[in-house]
């Protein structure tokens, strides 16, 4: 069966520090991968998605970037965190839209 | 572009009562529709989905939803609420083709009164 892993579960980082969140999927190949951010009162915002290695589409301009160095690995990064980067970050995958999207357990990021 | 509107940011029902969470969508082509549930500090779990087959969709935990094209609605129901149903519920939409992600509503917080 397929599983999705996100880590770390929680993270407290100072303003201006770098960020790296990792997401991996097991049990499938060539999934579509997604990063969402859930901020208080703002719902779920799609940040990036990827349909293959090295292919990244950005949905919103921001202080973040994404990379897909391997087929089932999706990384969210920042060189310098801002207070506004705080939130709950969720990774998701799908093989086809009609199957639905499976979400990871999320990373709670607090920038202080 | 697609959009979703969830009516009511908070819904409170008594244990054993009917649960009704409202979702209306906007899409220029036939949509795929989903309901997800989120418990505190957890990811989203798929409850059910509509992908152009039967309009009445049954999901996990006793939930179901009916796709009504004429009303552009996909309301979520459960005949009898349990305390364990207290959570945040999200309606989401996408369309066939392409690879961009789901568009979510703002969510409805379901409160179960004992």
């Amino acid at each position: 069966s397929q599983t999705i892993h996100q880590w770390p579960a929680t993270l407290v980082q100072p303003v201006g520090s770098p960020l790296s969140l990792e997401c991996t999927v097991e049990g499938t190949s060539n999934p579509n991968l997604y990063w969402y951010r859930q901020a208080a009162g703002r719902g779920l915002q799609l940040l990036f998605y990827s349909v293959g290695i090295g292919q990244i589409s950005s949905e919103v301009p921001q202080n973040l970037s994404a990379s897909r160095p391997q087929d089932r690995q999706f990384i969210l990064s920042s060189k310098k965190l801002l207070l506004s980067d705080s939130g709950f970050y969720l990774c998701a995958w799908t093989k086809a839209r009609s199957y639905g999207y499976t979400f990871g357990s999320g990373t709670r990021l607090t920038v202080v | 572009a697609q959009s979703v509107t969830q009516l009511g940011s908070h819904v409170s029902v008594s244990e054993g009562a009917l649960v009704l969470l409202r979702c209306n969508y906007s899409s220029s082509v036939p949509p795929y529709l989903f309901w997800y549930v989120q418990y505190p500090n957890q990811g989203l779990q798929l409850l059910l989905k509509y992908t152009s087959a039967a309009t009445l969709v049954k999901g996990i935990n006793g939930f179901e939803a009916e796709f009504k094209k004429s009303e552009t609605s996909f309301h979520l129901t459960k005949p009898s609420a349990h305390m364990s149903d207290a959570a945040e519920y999200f309606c989401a939409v996408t369309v066939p083709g392409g690879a961009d992600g789901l568009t979510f509503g703002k969510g409805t917080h379901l409160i179960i009164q004992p």
Side-chain angles (χ1 to χ4, degrees):
Chain A
S1 64
Q2 301 92 3
T3 56
I4 179 168
H5 302 281
Q6 270 189 258
W7 67 91
T10 60
L11 194 58
V12 180
Q13 293 284 94
V15 168
S17 64
L19 173 73
S20 180
L21 303 181
E22 189 163 343
C23 171
T24 60
V25 180
E26 296 178 354
T28 188
S29 60
N30 197 31
N32 291 342
L33 296 170
Y34 305 83
W35 278 112
Y36 282 86
R37 177 169 60 198
Q38 188 176 23
R42 295 187 63 183
L44 284 143
Q45 180 185 34
L46 178 64
L47 301 175
F48 302 94
Y49 68 92
S50 171
V51 300
I53 295 175
Q55 301 179 62
I56 307 295
S57 296
S58 174
E59 289 293 301
V60 292
Q62 64 223 322
N63 186 41
L64 303 170
S65 62
S67 61
R68 185 170 177 174
Q70 301 181 41
D71 181 44
R72 293 169 292 161
Q73 184 185 31
F74 204 23
I75 297 172
L76 183 69
S77 303
S78 174
K79 292 182 178 179
K80 290 185 177 181
L81 284 169
L82 306 172
L83 287 173
S84 57
D85 292 324
S86 293
F88 193 51
Y89 288 81
L90 290 157
C91 182
W93 76 274
T94 187
K95 284 291 285 185
R97 293 179 168 195
S98 60
Y99 296 171
Y101 295 64
T102 301
F103 285 79
S105 55
T107 296
R108 173 74 60 188
L109 172 65
T110 303
V111 182
V112 297
Chain B
Q2 308 84 42
S3 66
V4 169
T5 301
Q6 290 184 241
L7 297 176
S9 59
H10 291 77
V11 170
S12 180
V13 303
S14 298
E15 190 174 18
L18 171 73
V19 175
L20 171 61
L21 304 183
R22 300 178 185 273
C23 172
N24 288 89
Y25 70 91
S26 173
S27 176
S28 58
V29 300
Y32 293 157
L33 293 161
F34 305 83
W35 275 100
Y36 283 86
V37 61
Q38 185 181 33
Y39 298 98
N41 291 311
Q42 295 186 25
L44 277 68
Q45 180 183 15
L46 180 64
L47 281 176
L48 49 79
K49 61 182 179 179
Y50 167 77
T51 56
S52 74
T55 57
L56 181 61
V57 180
K58 295 187 183 297
I60 63 172
N61 302 341
F63 285 94
E64 64 181 38
E66 186 172 7
F67 173 72
K68 292 187 176 180
K69 182 179 178 180
S70 61
E71 299 177 8
T72 61
S73 69
F74 190 57
H75 301 331
L76 182 70
T77 60
K78 182 174 180 177
S80 177
H82 295 165
M83 296 299 292
S84 60
D85 295 327
E88 192 83 14
Y89 291 80
F90 292 93
C91 183
V93 65
T94 189
V95 295
D100 51 325
L102 292 166
T103 299
F104 284 88
K106 292 187 180 300
T108 297
H109 185 58
L110 178 62
I111 301 162
I112 310 297
Q113 304 282 3

